[in-house]
Amino acid sequence: MKKKILVSVVLAAVLALGGFYLLKNRGNGVQFKTAKVSRGDLRATVTATGTVSAVTTVLVGTQVSGTVKQLFADYNSPVKKGQLLAQIDPELSEAKVAQTRANLQAAAANVEKAEAALTDADRTLERNRTLFARNFIARSDLDTADTNRLSALAQLKVAKAQVEQQKAALNQEETNLNYTRILSPVDGTVISRNVDIGQTVAASFQTPTLFSIAQDLTRMQIDTNVDEADIGKVKVGQSVQFTVDAYPDSTFPGRVSEIRNAPTTVQNVVTYDVVVKVANPELKLKPGMTANVSIIIALEKGVIKVPNAALRFKWQPAGASPDRGSAGAAGAGRPQAVRATNGAKTQGVWILDGQKPRRASLTLGISDGNETAVLSGEIKEGDAVIIEATGQAKKGASSPAGGPGLFR
């Protein structure tokens, strides 16, 4: 009997406690989640990705074909202008030089031979003139001697032209011989070597690349791809901050140096190349690294900031008609960003004043995607803005993921 009484008492207590919490929750209604309005610096950015590269990269090739005989530079080797990088086997080129030099000597000998023939023709012509004056020979003999002299003179000119031709050929072969010595065209650092000793390079159709030399690794650049929707906000001289995967905890500074007008279209997505100049005194950045770039297009210091979640929050007070034009009804139920007369964006947020929501109209400035600057409005630092409604009877209150409030 006592046991039954005890069980009845426990059940009555549980029912009473459940009823108490039910009545309490009905009385409390909607609960609000808030965030504090703060003051601080805010910046708007355009994000992009790009590739780190040296400002000047020189591709060193060869104009002659042959077998690589020696290498005098390797990866990361510092080089000076005119320094020997590689030697292509010069034997064939040396043989061609010797052959062309012999041809030049033969052409010079032909000049001497032609000069001797011209001298003989001159003597014969002079002798025939004397004999013709004394009527010892016919006129035809004199004409023949004159013709022979002219022919010898022409042959001398041909021989001299052949000498000049062989000189040019010798100069060409000597130049090709010099091209077997691969020299550095600039001061810099070798970042790539594409040949090995014993490898044959053929320069018949296109110049093969033997070395890639970065002229100055202390000055780098980033070629970024900026979307066409954001390119109008980017200006030359704007500050840039970026990170690379090699140093995830480090942020590197830079500056926009060039905005190229040539578009790049990939799968109907149009981007433009924005060049960012970067100082690299510690040589941390290496060519080919992928950079995550943030271009700072606007910066506000010491401004009041509201979370973007508060700008997306919608609230319809119980019993209010959305058709009425009051601030607590239609304006609250459908908050939208509109343009003020000065071009700034205006929108409303809900502030929790005590336990009662109060709508405040704001003039908004730049946004970083998480917070938006407040230029003017009925709000102050430390106010609690509503970002979400929780609890019972949440009809008319929502905080969608999208919607207005994300301004740049």
Side-chain angles (χ1 to χ4, degrees):
M1 190 68 174
K2 292 182 180 181
K3 191 174 183 179
K4 292 182 178 180
I5 295 175
L6 181 60
V7 171
S8 300
V9 171
V10 172
L11 290 176
V14 170
L15 291 175
L17 185 61
F20 172 77
Y21 278 107
L22 180 62
L23 292 176
K24 182 178 180 181
N25 288 337
R26 288 181 178 177
N28 287 343
V30 179
Q31 302 297 317
F32 298 103
K33 184 178 180 180
T34 63
K36 292 292 184 181
V37 175
S38 61
R39 182 183 294 273
D41 299 340
L42 197 67
R43 65 182 184 184
T45 61
V46 169
T47 58
T49 59
T51 303
V52 179
S53 62
V55 175
T56 303
T57 301
V58 181
L59 303 180
V60 181
T62 176
Q63 290 183 308
V64 296
S65 302
T67 304
V68 178
K69 187 176 182 179
Q70 288 179 296
L71 290 174
F72 301 97
D74 206 343
Y75 293 94
N76 301 331
S77 297
V79 295
K80 297 292 183 180
K81 182 177 181 180
Q83 179 177 333
L84 183 62
L85 303 178
Q87 174 73 61
I88 295 177
D89 191 353
E91 290 185 2
L92 290 178
S93 296
E94 289 174 348
K96 289 181 179 180
V97 168
Q99 180 181 1
T100 308
R101 184 175 289 115
N103 292 338
L104 177 59
Q105 293 174 355
N110 288 334
V111 170
E112 295 178 358
K113 181 179 178 181
E115 288 176 346
L118 179 60
T119 301
D120 182 64
D122 286 338
R123 291 172 181 173
T124 302
L125 177 61
E126 188 64 27
R127 186 184 308 114
N128 285 351
R129 282 175 180 172
T130 303
L131 294 175
F132 178 75
R134 297 179 182 180
N135 294 322
F136 291 155
I137 60 174
R139 179 72 184 182
S140 60
D141 294 335
L142 178 62
D143 292 341
T144 300
D146 187 36
T147 301
N148 291 338
R149 180 191 177 277
L150 293 176
S151 177
L153 180 61
Q155 189 62 37
L156 176 61
K157 292 181 179 179
V158 171
K160 288 183 177 179
Q162 290 176 346
V163 168
E164 297 300 324
Q165 183 179 7
Q166 293 302 322
K167 284 182 178 179
L170 178 60
N171 184 44
Q172 179 180 358
E173 295 301 334
E174 288 178 342
T175 301
N176 288 336
L177 178 59
N178 290 332
Y179 283 154
T180 61
R181 293 167 50 87
I182 309 302
L183 306 179
S184 173
V186 294
D187 297 342
T189 303
V190 177
I191 60 175
S192 176
R193 174 177 61 81
N194 302 323
V195 292
D196 293 307
I197 295 177
Q199 181 176 343
T200 301
V201 292
S204 302
F205 301 101
Q206 62 182 4
T207 302
T209 299
L210 307 184
F211 299 90
S212 296
I213 299 178
Q215 188 168 1
D216 185 4
L217 290 179
T218 61
R219 295 184 298 111
M220 307 290 282
Q221 71 179 28
I222 304 173
D223 294 303
T224 65
N225 297 318
V226 177
D227 189 84
E228 61 177 327
D230 297 325
I231 195 64
K233 306 170 188 176
V234 180
K235 307 296 180 184
V236 174
Q238 289 176 336
S239 298
V240 173
Q241 292 184 344
F242 68 95
T243 59
V244 293
D245 293 339
Y247 308 99
D249 298 329
S250 300
T251 301
F252 299 90
R255 191 167 297 275
V256 176
S257 66
E258 184 181 1
I259 303 174
R260 295 176 179 170
N261 293 324
T264 301
T265 304
V266 178
Q267 296 181 350
N268 295 328
V269 177
V270 180
T271 59
Y272 292 86
D273 187 7
V274 176
V275 181
V276 177
K277 291 295 177 66
V278 179
N280 188 30
E282 299 179 1
L283 302 180
K284 286 185 175 181
L285 301 175
K286 302 183 183 301
M289 285 184 171
T290 300
N292 301 309
V293 179
S294 296
I295 304 173
I296 302 174
I297 60 175
L299 178 63
E300 297 286 350
K301 295 186 177 181
V303 295
I304 293 179
K305 304 180 293 182
V306 296
N308 287 347
L311 301 175
R312 296 191 296 265
F313 176 76
K314 299 178 182 179
W315 168 247
Q316 181 66 50
S321 173
D323 297 329
R324 294 202 301 263
S326 63
R334 300 179 181 272
Q336 296 180 356
V338 298
R339 292 281 181 178
T341 56
N342 60 356
K345 305 177 185 69
T346 61
Q347 190 175 337
V349 296
W350 289 91
I351 301 174
L352 190 60
D353 190 0
Q355 295 298 323
K356 185 177 181 181
R358 173 175 61 86
R359 189 174 186 273
S361 297
L362 307 177
T363 302
L364 305 177
I366 64 173
S367 174
D368 63 358
N370 296 319
E371 297 177 310
T372 300
V374 177
L375 302 180
S376 62
E378 304 168 355
I379 198 170
K380 63 182 182 298
E381 184 180 358
D383 285 345
V385 291
I386 302 175
I387 61 174
E388 186 181 355
T390 61
Q392 186 184 3
K394 290 174 57 177
K395 296 179 181 180
S398 62
S399 54
L406 294 177
F407 302 108
R408 293 187 180 276

